[in-house]
């Protein structure tokens, strides 16, 4: 799985699945138990969800509040 980078060709000649739109720094990644959804969060504090079967993004969830400094 590649997130937020140009597609890459694997050693076997197949193109790796690219889940675009993520931030530059990936802080967390989760695949649901049923293998349907991929969730990722990064330095932009937005949680993103993709449909693994299609590779398409299905949602972006901004933070509910900004942490106070």
């Amino acid at each position: 799985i590649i997130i937020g980078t140009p597609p890459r060709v694997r050693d076997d000649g197949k193109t790796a699945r690219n889940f675009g739109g993520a931030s530059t720094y990936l802080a967390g990644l989760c695949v649901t138990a049923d293998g349907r959804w991929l969730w990722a969060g990064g330095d932009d504090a937005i949680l993103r969800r993709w449909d693994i079967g299609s590779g398409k993004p299905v949602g972006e969830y901004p933070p509910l509040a900004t942490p106070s400094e």
Side-chain angles (χ1 to χ4, degrees):
I1 296 173
I2 298 173
I3 297 180
T5 62
R8 295 185 182 159
V9 177
R10 302 184 321 196
D11 291 339
D12 62 4
K14 295 180 181 178
T15 301
R17 172 88 34 123
N18 184 339
F19 294 88
S23 62
T24 56
Y25 175 76
L26 184 63
L29 179 72
C30 177
V31 175
T32 57
D34 62 6
R36 182 171 181 194
W37 307 112
L38 170 73
W39 292 83
D43 60 350
D44 60 1
I46 297 174
L47 184 62
R48 290 178 171 85
R49 180 172 61 133
W50 290 268
D51 179 300
I52 291 179
S54 70
K56 295 184 181 196
V58 293
E60 286 191 355
Y61 309 90
L64 297 176
T66 303
S68 58
E69 294 184 22

